[in-house]
């Protein structure tokens, strides 16, 4: 039996606008010819009103986050430039305490710059209306690896990947997913053990399932969901630098494409991050 559903905007005799949802089924005879239809209509005006308020509130919030992070860039640039000038021109004249204070200012500005950059990327992933493209995942991962070249060289990391397929997404978003997860695989390495990162892919129910495995510090089972929360970190900034936005950004991108993202991990052995994205033909846009 095939169930169908639909929603209608209806103007009642008193002139008020109401919303109705209907769920119905078509009955057919033995030859497959429709003979009758049965179903139910119910009022969803209140649900529609709340959904609309939520949508407007989310739009306001996204606009606020964008403006706040965007407008922070300019004063931040001044702090960076002038504290660098102070260090290079007057550094020798400062006593050790003043130099330490100046270093704190520069470090703080660096952390804030990372935060602003990540917040803007998160906002873009949440609000971008740009159409998705047929993206070659090999090009996206190569761009991500090129951006991580410094960290790869510094740690002696080995990153290898299978030939990857095409997926339906924005190129920049796929690159950000790879860059965040591979970047984390390198950052959260075990002391003295060079990172080994392997990326594989296989079909999963009409989608592509990507898996990124590392040999790093791993994640305790009770934190496997928490790590995807915005600003959620398991470590302090002086242990590992970061903003707690990277995995939330990955989750936001994947979920906007009706995909899933999750992690399997064994503490002190390593982690595997999995995510699914639509194939060019399975896209539901
Ligand atoms: P960031 O790395 O900026 O802190 P993320 O959102 O990318 O933020 O990650 C959230 C947290 O998840 C990290 O702070 C870290 O504690 C944990 N984490 C992420 N990736 C890994 C990994 N590959 N191995 C171990 N822990 C990880």
């Amino acid at each position: 039996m095939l169930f169908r559903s639909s929603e209608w905007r209806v103007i009642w005799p008193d002139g008020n606008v109401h919303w109705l949802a209907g769920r119905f089924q078509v009955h057919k005879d033995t030859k497959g010819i429709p003979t009758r239809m049965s179903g139910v209509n119910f009022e969803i005006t209140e649900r529609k009103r709340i959904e609309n308020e939520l949508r407007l509130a989310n739009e306001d919030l996204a606009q606020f986050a964008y403006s706040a992070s965007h407008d922070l860039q300019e004063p931040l640039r001044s702090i960076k430039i002038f504290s660098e000038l102070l260090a290079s021109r007057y550094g020798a004249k400062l006593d050790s305490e003043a130099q330490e204070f100046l270093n704190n200012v520069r470090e703080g500005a660096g952390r804030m710059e990372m935060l602003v950059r990540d917040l803007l990327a998160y906002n873009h992933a949440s609000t971008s209306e740009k159409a998705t493209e047929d993206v070659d995942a090999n090009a996206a991962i190569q761009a991500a690896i090129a951006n991580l070249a410094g960290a790869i060289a510094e740690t002696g990391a080995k990153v290898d990947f299978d030939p990857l397929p095409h997926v339906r997404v924005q190129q920049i978003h796929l690159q950000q997913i790879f860059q965040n997860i591979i970047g984390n695989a390198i950052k959260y390495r075990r002391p003295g053990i060079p990172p080994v990162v392997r990326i594989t892919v296989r079909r999963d129910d009409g989608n592509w399932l990507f898996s990124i495995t590392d040999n790093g510090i791993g994640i305790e089972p009770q934190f496997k969901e928490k790590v995807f929360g915005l600003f959620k970190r398991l470590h302090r900034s002086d242990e590992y630098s970061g903003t707690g936005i990277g995995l939330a950004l990955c989750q936001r991108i994947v979920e906007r494409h009706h995909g899933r993202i999750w992690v399997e991990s064994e503490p002190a052995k390593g982690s595997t991050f999995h995510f699914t994205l639509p194939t060019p033909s399975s896209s539901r846009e």
Side-chain angles (χ1 to χ4, degrees), residues 184 187-188 214 218-219 227 232-235 242-244 246-247:
N184 282 346
K187 180 164 56 168
Y188 299 104
D214 67 49
I219 296 169
V227 290
K232 293 286 187 283
R233 312 198 65 223
L234 307 180
H235 304 93
T243 59
L247 289 178

Side-chain angles (χ1 to χ4, degrees), residues 28-204:
K28 295 179 179 171
D29 65 15
T30 48
K31 293 192 192 110
I33 296 171
T35 52
R36 71 190 172 87
M37 203 168 80
S38 62
V40 60
N41 286 338
F42 39 97
E43 164 122 30
I44 55 161
T45 312
E46 185 59 9
R47 193 193 84 197
K48 279 278 181 197
R49 189 185 63 75
I50 293 168
E51 273 174 8
N52 201 35
E53 273 177 13
L54 193 65
R55 186 179 54 75
L56 291 175
N58 277 337
E59 279 172 14
D60 281 354
L61 195 64
Q63 184 58 38
F64 171 76
Y66 176 77
S67 308
S69 37
H70 188 260
D71 294 352
L72 277 174
Q73 283 181 312
E74 202 42 52
L76 196 54
R77 206 166 292 138
S78 296
I79 296 174
K80 276 200 75 179
I81 291 171
F82 286 106
S83 57
E84 267 155 35
L85 274 177
L86 204 56
S88 64
R89 294 213 192 145
Y90 300 95
K93 294 187 191 151
L94 299 176
D95 65 22
S96 63
E97 195 179 29
Q99 280 185 6
E100 193 190 319
F101 290 168
L102 187 57
N103 272 344
N104 290 345
V105 172
R106 294 171 74 189
E107 268 175 37
R111 278 207 303 279
M112 200 152 161
E113 196 175 38
M114 265 188 349
L115 204 60
V116 166
R117 182 204 58 206
D118 288 358
L119 268 176
L120 284 170
Y122 184 79
N123 194 272
H124 182 266
S126 309
T127 55
S128 170
E129 298 291 336
K130 196 172 156 234
T132 57
E133 330 156 80
D134 183 348
V135 172
D136 178 1
N138 296 289
I141 203 167
Q142 271 156 6
I145 290 174
N147 285 342
L148 293 167
I152 292 175
E154 212 174 282
T155 57
K158 202 171 153 302
V159 182
D160 67 78
F161 56 94
D162 286 350
L164 301 179
H166 283 225
V167 280
R168 195 82 207 158
V169 62
Q170 281 183 35
Q171 155 95 26
I172 181 68
H173 289 163
L174 186 58
Q175 183 183 322
Q176 283 168 337
I177 297 179
F178 284 135
Q179 200 165 315
N180 276 302
I181 299 181
I182 299 171
N184 282 346
I186 297 171
K187 180 164 56 168
Y188 299 104
R189 62 187 177 277
R190 277 178 286 158
I193 300 181
V196 177
V197 190
R198 168 130 193 85
I199 298 100
T200 58
V201 67
R202 64 181 167 83
R203 283 277 193 172
D204 172 68

